């Protein structure tokens, strides 16, 4: 896949940026410079596996940190295609090196952050998907339908907050961790209560309700062993999917992890156990034990996914260190990029005046109140000619 990278910098630093990009000459294609009066936009294309190297190279020169803006866009198609450069004198060693791929190939940490952050928020959709998935799982468990249970895993959003806890721990973003843990707990409680409600309705409609194989298989101690065998590689798979934004494999991992059905099963079994204690049935202790094992299965899956996903992220070159979650532009940076920001977002045109930001419209109004053609603000002046020049209005 090809990415289009745009780097916006002050005009006077354009050549400096091009010098920095020269270090990644073999990874950059179609370099173009669009110059304006105050800013320049440097665009180029590169393979997605090379974007991280280019961005890291620019980051080492503080591009996108203290000056400049870096935008990375996905490109569906580019023509002519970006072809791999041919080696002049091919040998067995050179061919091997050309085909070799680094184990640390991944998306940039900023891209991974956005993917993870998109799935950790407590929204109506998150709660709705949780309830819908729990209902589907409950029906599948009660009717002994494995296909229906698998379908519920596809709808379940519980993997998102678990990823948030894992990635937040890795980059030491404790705010992300706390938010993810809170939303995961709320999702678990909502799922559990849905299981309790489904079992209650079932008992009301039929007093002879018995557990199915899908329910009992998640309540036996053996399920903890088989669950651990599946959850460990699932943690590796979810980290690889996120690190390379491979959505297709992420769907498969969501099915294999089986996070939601054990929670619903625990709610179902606990309700049946309570009913058995009320009606003095002999299955009471068995149901309580199976409900506890089923909930332990989910908790074990959570811990194993967290552990193995973290190890995989580290293997992919994501060190456990603080990550800059976002930088608020200061006046100088905002002033530098005013033209581009106004073009994209249609916000009022602003200029820097004595360390503060003030819109041109405000300055014109102040000019009218002062009944002067020139307005002096700090160390800068704006005239009606300047207004025409900045806004393009007659």
């Amino acid at each position: 896949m090809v990415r289009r990278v745009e780097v916006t910098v002050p005009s006077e630093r354009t050549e400096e940026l091009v010098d920095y990009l020269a270090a990644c000459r073999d990874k950059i294609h179609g370099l173009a410079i669009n110059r304006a009066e105050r800013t320049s936009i440097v665009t180029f294309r590169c393979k997605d596996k090379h974007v991280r190297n280019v961005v890291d190279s620019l980051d080492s020169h503080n591009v996108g940190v203290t000056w400049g803006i870096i935008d990375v866009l996905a490109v569906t198609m580019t023509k002519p295609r970006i072809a791999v450069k041919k080696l002049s004198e091919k040998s067995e060693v050179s061919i091997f090196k050309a085909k070799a791929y680094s184990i640390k190939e991944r998306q940039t940490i900023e891209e991974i952050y956005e993917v993870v952050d998109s799935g950790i928020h407590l929204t109506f959709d998150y709660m709705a998907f949780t309830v819908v998935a729990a209902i589907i799982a409950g029906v599948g468990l009660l009717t002994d339908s494995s296909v229906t249970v698998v379908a519920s895993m596809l709808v379940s959003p519980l993997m998102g907050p678990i990823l948030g806890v894992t990635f937040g721990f890795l980059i030491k973003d404790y705010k992300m961790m706390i938010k993810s843990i809170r939303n995961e707990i709320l999702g678990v409680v909502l799922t559990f209560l849905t299981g309790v409600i489904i079992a209650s309705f079932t008992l009301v409609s039929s007093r002879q309700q018995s557990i199915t194989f899908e329910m009992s298989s998640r309540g036996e101690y053996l399920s903890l062993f088989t669950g651990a065998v599946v959850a460990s590689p699932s943690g590796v798979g979810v980290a690889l999917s996120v690190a390379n934004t491979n959505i297709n494999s992420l769907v498969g991992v969501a099915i294999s992890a089986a996070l939601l059905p054990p929670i619903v099963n625990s709610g179902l079994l606990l309700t049946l156990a309570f009913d058995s204690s009320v009606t003095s049935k002999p299955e009471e202790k068995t149901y309580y034990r199976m409900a506890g094992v089923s909930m332990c299965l989910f908790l074990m899956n959570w811990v194993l996914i967290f552990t193995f996903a973290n190890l995989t992220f580290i293997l992919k070159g994501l060190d456990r260190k603080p990550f800059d979650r976002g930088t608020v532009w200061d006046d100088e940076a905002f002033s530098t990029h005013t033209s581009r920001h106004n073009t994209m977002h249609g916000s009022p045109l602003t200029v820097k005046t004595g360390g503060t930001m003030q819109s041109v419209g405000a300055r014109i109004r102040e000019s009218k109140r002062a009944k002067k053609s020139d307005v002096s603000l700090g160390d800068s002046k704006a005239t009606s000619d300047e207004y025409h020049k900045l806004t393009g209005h007659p």
Side-chain angles (χ1 to χ4, degrees):
M1 188 175 179
V2 178
R3 300 296 181 98
R4 184 171 183 262
V5 182
E6 289 186 359
V7 186
T8 306
V9 295
S11 298
E12 63 272 12
R13 306 193 71 168
T14 304
E15 301 305 325
E16 180 183 356
L17 173 64
V18 174
D19 291 338
Y20 295 153
L21 291 174
C24 306
R25 189 188 304 270
D26 57 330
K27 301 178 178 66
I28 292 175
H29 304 265
L31 181 69
I33 303 175
N34 186 7
R35 299 179 184 271
E37 182 180 353
R38 301 172 62 185
T39 61
S40 295
I41 301 178
V42 179
T43 62
F44 55 87
R45 293 168 179 80
C46 60
K47 294 285 188 179
D48 56 350
K49 64 181 180 180
H50 294 149
V51 172
R52 180 175 68 90
N53 303 109
V54 176
V55 173
D56 288 348
S57 177
L58 295 176
D59 184 78
S60 64
H61 299 287
N62 290 324
V63 181
V65 181
T66 59
W67 63 283
I69 305 172
I70 302 175
D71 297 317
V72 180
L73 300 86
V75 178
T76 305
M77 185 274 291
T78 184
K79 187 176 181 180
R81 293 183 65 252
I82 295 178
V84 179
K85 296 181 180 180
K86 297 181 180 180
L87 298 174
S88 55
E89 295 182 0
K90 293 184 179 180
S91 61
E92 293 183 1
V93 177
S94 62
I95 292 175
F96 175 78
K97 288 184 178 180
K99 297 295 183 181
Y101 291 94
S102 171
I103 194 174
K104 295 185 177 182
E105 284 183 0
R106 56 171 173 80
Q107 304 300 318
T108 63
I109 190 171
E110 289 81 7
E111 290 177 291
I112 298 174
Y113 185 95
E114 294 301 330
V115 172
V116 175
D117 183 69
S118 64
I120 67 172
H121 299 287
L122 184 64
T123 62
F124 172 80
D125 289 348
Y126 174 80
M127 294 186 292
F129 275 124
T130 300
V131 173
V132 169
I135 294 174
I136 296 174
V139 173
L141 291 168
L142 290 173
T143 58
D144 204 21
S145 172
S146 59
V147 175
T148 307
V149 175
V150 170
S152 70
M153 304 176 199
L154 293 174
V155 183
S156 171
L158 294 182
M159 181 64 80
I162 292 179
L163 263 177
V165 176
T166 305
F167 192 69
F169 174 79
L170 184 72
I171 63 175
K172 297 185 178 180
D173 188 344
Y174 299 113
K175 184 177 180 180
M176 172 182 278
M177 284 188 65
I178 293 173
K179 181 190 295 184
S180 300
I181 292 173
R182 180 201 66 188
N183 295 344
E184 183 70 15
I185 292 175
L186 289 174
V188 170
V189 171
L190 198 59
T191 302
F192 181 82
L193 292 178
T194 303
V196 171
I197 294 172
I198 292 175
S200 301
F201 276 111
T202 303
L203 289 173
V204 170
S205 60
S206 175
R207 299 298 303 177
Q208 302 298 322
Q209 178 64 42
S210 59
I211 63 174
T212 62
F213 173 76
E214 288 292 328
M215 296 173 65
S216 62
S217 63
R218 290 173 171 81
E220 300 295 338
Y221 290 115
L222 181 62
S223 65
L224 297 176
F225 173 76
T226 57
V229 173
V230 175
S232 300
S234 295
V236 176
V238 71
L240 292 175
S241 300
V242 173
N244 296 285
T245 59
N246 192 332
I247 303 301
N248 294 330
S249 59
L250 189 59
V251 173
V253 172
I255 297 175
S256 64
L259 295 170
L260 183 132
I263 306 173
V264 179
N265 194 49
S266 180
L268 294 173
L269 290 170
L270 190 64
T271 305
L272 294 177
F274 180 76
D275 177 71
S276 299
S277 64
V278 172
T279 56
S280 301
K281 293 181 180 179
E283 298 90 351
E284 174 189 352
K285 292 184 178 180
T286 302
Y287 288 164
Y288 275 125
R289 174 183 58 82
M290 296 177 69
V293 171
S294 190
M295 182 59 72
C296 288
L297 176 61
F298 161 74
L299 295 175
M300 183 195 67
N301 287 345
W302 185 350
V303 172
L304 289 175
I305 290 173
F306 171 85
T307 303
F308 282 89
N310 254 303
L311 293 175
T312 306
F313 278 137
I314 294 173
L315 191 65
K316 295 293 287 183
L318 289 169
D319 299 327
R320 189 170 187 272
K321 59 183 181 180
F323 168 67
D324 184 9
R325 297 173 59 249
T327 302
V328 178
W329 285 356
D330 56 19
D331 291 350
E332 182 178 357
F334 196 93
S335 179
T336 301
H337 303 291
T338 295
S339 298
R340 182 168 182 261
H341 182 76
N342 291 335
T343 301
M344 295 175 61
H345 303 284
S347 60
L349 188 60
T350 59
V351 293
K352 184 179 179 182
T353 59
T356 61
M357 300 304 299
Q358 186 172 8
S359 68
V360 173
R363 296 177 66 185
I364 296 301
R365 287 192 296 270
E366 185 173 343
S367 174
K368 291 180 178 180
R369 286 195 300 268
K371 295 182 180 181
K372 296 180 180 180
S373 59
D374 295 337
V375 178
S376 178
L377 293 175
D379 296 330
S380 63
K381 292 185 177 182
T383 63
S384 57
D385 292 338
E386 179 189 1
Y387 170 75
H388 301 327
K389 180 179 179 181
L390 292 173
T391 61
H393 292 248

